[in-house]
């Protein structure tokens, strides 16, 4: 697959207007892979002009016509699974097997929303008075600006672009500065699939120039929706800054997921669930458990089993097929992990596996016991391969601790007690709850948070509604 390194605007691959570029760095070797466009305000405006011009014709197409293009895109993504996985691993660092999985995961959203494109049903409302007909119909919101993260460089942009395009919206997108190449490759396949010029526009920008690009989209009334996955502070900024033109927002923000192991849990299943949910992408997902609460009666046995699974995890580059944990995305990410572990150990935690920085962008998979709420890692998302284990004594206590955070994206718990399952699932203040299950991601399910983890849902039929508004039609004088 030829790497694209230019912007895609109005159906053309173009350099940044002022010719600026920045390096894309392989997090495993710290070598430059290539250079891509470092876009500024003029490029952002050109992308928006193209999306606004393409909107009337794209929204006029029937859902079925839009679905056909999305289905072709899905087929092309799957045909290019291996090549896309190589790009993901190269720029983001995740092991190849996981990268292949991410391609399939991203494609599943494209397929799902191709199918949903034909189901934007409205309502026929029984008239409250005779002589009137009342209808609620759904319409695309307009031009959407998608700002996407580095941790799933393909899946996160796919699950924003696919519903937007299925709904009849056109898009301007900016991928994360660390991982623009996968997004550009995905858009090249969209071009091949036959989306009309201007339906999808993408510009890359360095960390320094990103605000210039995003400000153009925030200020311009033609952008009717912003969809963002990333940190809570940036999400709050987008909410404030888009208020001037009252844009619709979908914000998938930070988490601080609790993972609770009750005394009656199947401990082997809980350990496996934790391995899957915590070490996916080296611990760099918003739904990774960040705080593991284990009942005091099973604490020792659980920790022994967990440490025995974590210690042998193989750390290394994606080029080594045996690697299970790749590099972290950049040195800043490793600095944060190191800070969290150091703070925890200074406050009394003990490492029973790992606990140290390795060379380059690597960090050893780590289990810490005797974690307490006073430690930084209990309040902030670590975003790395570190499992802090806290003890608890009662259901009431652990539910209170689990909810004692401004965040509310995902939570997990393991128990065999049916009544407790419903009690705890009701009590947890998160948008997603894993019950005796660590793998939650699915295109058919609504993904999103509550509290300061944001609002809006991705995937499922709710994921399409986020790109539609409801128009009420009232016809009168029918007699
Ligand atoms: C995320 O980390 O934001 C997304 C993870 C997922 O889709 O499971």
């Amino acid at each position: 697959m030829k790497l694209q390194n230019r912007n895609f605007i109005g159906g053309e691959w173009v350099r940044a207007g002022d010719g600026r570029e920045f390096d894309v760095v392989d997090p495993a070797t710290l070598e430059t892979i290539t250079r891509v466009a470092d876009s500024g305000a003029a490029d952002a405006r050109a992308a928006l002009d193209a999306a606004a011009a393409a909107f009337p014709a794209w929204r006029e197409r029937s859902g079925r016509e839009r679905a056909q293009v999305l289905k072709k895109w899905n087929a092309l993504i799957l045909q290019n699974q291996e090549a896309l996985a190589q790009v993901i691993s190269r720029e983001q660092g995740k092991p190849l097997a996981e990268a292949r999985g991410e391609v399939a995961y991203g494609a599943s959203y494209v397929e799902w929303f191709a199918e949903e494109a034909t189901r934007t049903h409205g309502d026929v409302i029984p008239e409250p008075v005779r002589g009137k007909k009342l209808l609620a119909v759904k319409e695309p919101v307009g031009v959407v600006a998608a700002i996407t993260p580095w941790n799933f460089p393909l899946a996160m942009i796919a699950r924003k672009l696919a519903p937007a395009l299925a709904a009849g919206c056109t898009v301007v997108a900016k991928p994360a500065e660390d991982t623009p190449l996968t997004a550009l490759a995905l858009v090249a396949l969209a071009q091949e699939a036959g989306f009309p010029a201007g339906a999808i526009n993408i510009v890359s920008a360095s960390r320094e120039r990103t605000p210039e690009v995003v400000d153009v989209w925030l200020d311009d009334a033609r952008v009717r929706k912003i969809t963002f996955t990333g940190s809570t502070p940036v999400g709050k900024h987008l909410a404030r800054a888009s208020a001037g033109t009252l844009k619709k927002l979908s914000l998938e923000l930070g988490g601080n997921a609790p993972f609770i192991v009750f005394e009656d849990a199947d401990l082997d299943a809980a350990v496996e669930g934790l391995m899957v949910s915590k070490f996916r992408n080296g611990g760099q997902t918003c739904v990774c458990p960040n705080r593991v609460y284990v009942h005091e009666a099973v604490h020792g046995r659980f920790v022994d089993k967990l440490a025995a699974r974590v210690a042998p995890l193989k750390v290394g580059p994606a080029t080594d097929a045996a690697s299970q944990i790749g590099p972290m995305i950049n040195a800043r990410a490793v600095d944060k992990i190191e800070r969290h572990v150091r703070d925890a150990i200074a406050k009394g935690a003990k490492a029973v596996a790992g606990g140290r920085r390795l060379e380059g962008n690597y960090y050893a998979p780590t289990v810490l016991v005797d974690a307490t709420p006073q430690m930084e890692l209990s309040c902030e998302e670590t975003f790395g391969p570190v499992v802090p284990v806290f003890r608890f004594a009662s259901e009431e206590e652990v539910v209170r601790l689990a909810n004692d955070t401004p965040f509310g994206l995902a939570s997990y718990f393991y128990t065999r007690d049916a009544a407790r399952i419903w009690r705890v699932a009701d009590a947890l203040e998160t948008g997603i709850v894993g019950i005796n299950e660590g793998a939650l991601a699915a295109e058919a399910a609504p993904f999103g948070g509550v509290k300061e983890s944001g609002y809006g849902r991705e995937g499922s039929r709710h994921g399409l509604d986020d790109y539609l508004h409801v128009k009420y039609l009232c016809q009168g004088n029918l007699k």
Side-chain angles (χ1 to χ4, degrees), residues 334-364:
V334 196
D335 292 346
K336 181 179 187 191
I337 299 167
E338 198 175 29
R339 172 168 61 79
H340 278 187
V341 172
R342 209 180 275 144
D343 169 77
I345 288 177
K347 290 177 180 156
K350 279 192 294 293
V352 294
R356 63 193 187 286
R357 189 175 189 147
L358 305 173
E359 268 183 31
N361 286 343
Y362 293 97
Y363 198 91

Side-chain angles (χ1 to χ4, degrees), residues 105 109 149 151-152 155-156 159 229 252-253 280 284-288 383 409 440-442 447:
Y105 179 45
Y109 284 97
N151 60 345
F152 291 90
M156 296 301 104
R159 81 179 185 195
T229 296
E252 203 261 90
L253 308 177
R280 176 169 170 238
Q284 303 172 107
T285 89
C286 301
V287 288
C288 276
F383 236 63
L409 184 54
L440 309 179
F447 188 104

Side-chain angles (χ1 to χ4, degrees), residues 45 50 56 72 89 100 115 124 132 134 150-151 262 275 282 285 312-313 363 369 395-396 434 437:
R45 209 164 289 115
K72 186 138 186 241
S89 285
R100 289 186 193 109
E115 289 161 356
V124 178
K132 284 188 174 183
L134 278 52
W150 52 263
N151 60 345
F262 285 102
M275 295 302 292
T285 89
L313 285 175
Y363 198 91
V369 292
E395 181 182 313
E396 194 190 7
E437 179 58 64

Side-chain angles (χ1 to χ4, degrees), residues 305-327:
K305 284 173 187 281
L306 179 64
R309 287 283 280 112
V310 173
L313 285 175
K314 174 118 173 48
V315 177
T319 45
D320 179 348
S323 298
Q324 294 166 291
I325 306 288

Side-chain angles (χ1 to χ4, degrees), residues 255-256 290-291 336 339-340 375-383 405 407:
N256 183 6
N290 203 50
R291 298 168 290 151
K336 181 179 187 191
R339 172 168 61 79
H340 278 187
M375 298 172 180
E376 285 177 18
L377 46 62
S378 87
C379 326
E380 248 187 82
E381 214 175 7
T382 302
F383 236 63
T405 168
F407 302 102

Side-chain angles (χ1 to χ4, degrees), residues 48 57 97 107 138 148 162 220 226 230 274 288 298 305 366-367 373 411 472:
L48 176 52
K138 293 195 180 164
T148 60
D220 198 308
I226 306 250
L274 182 56
C288 276
V298 293
K305 284 173 187 281
T366 296
V367 179
S411 56
Y472 159 49

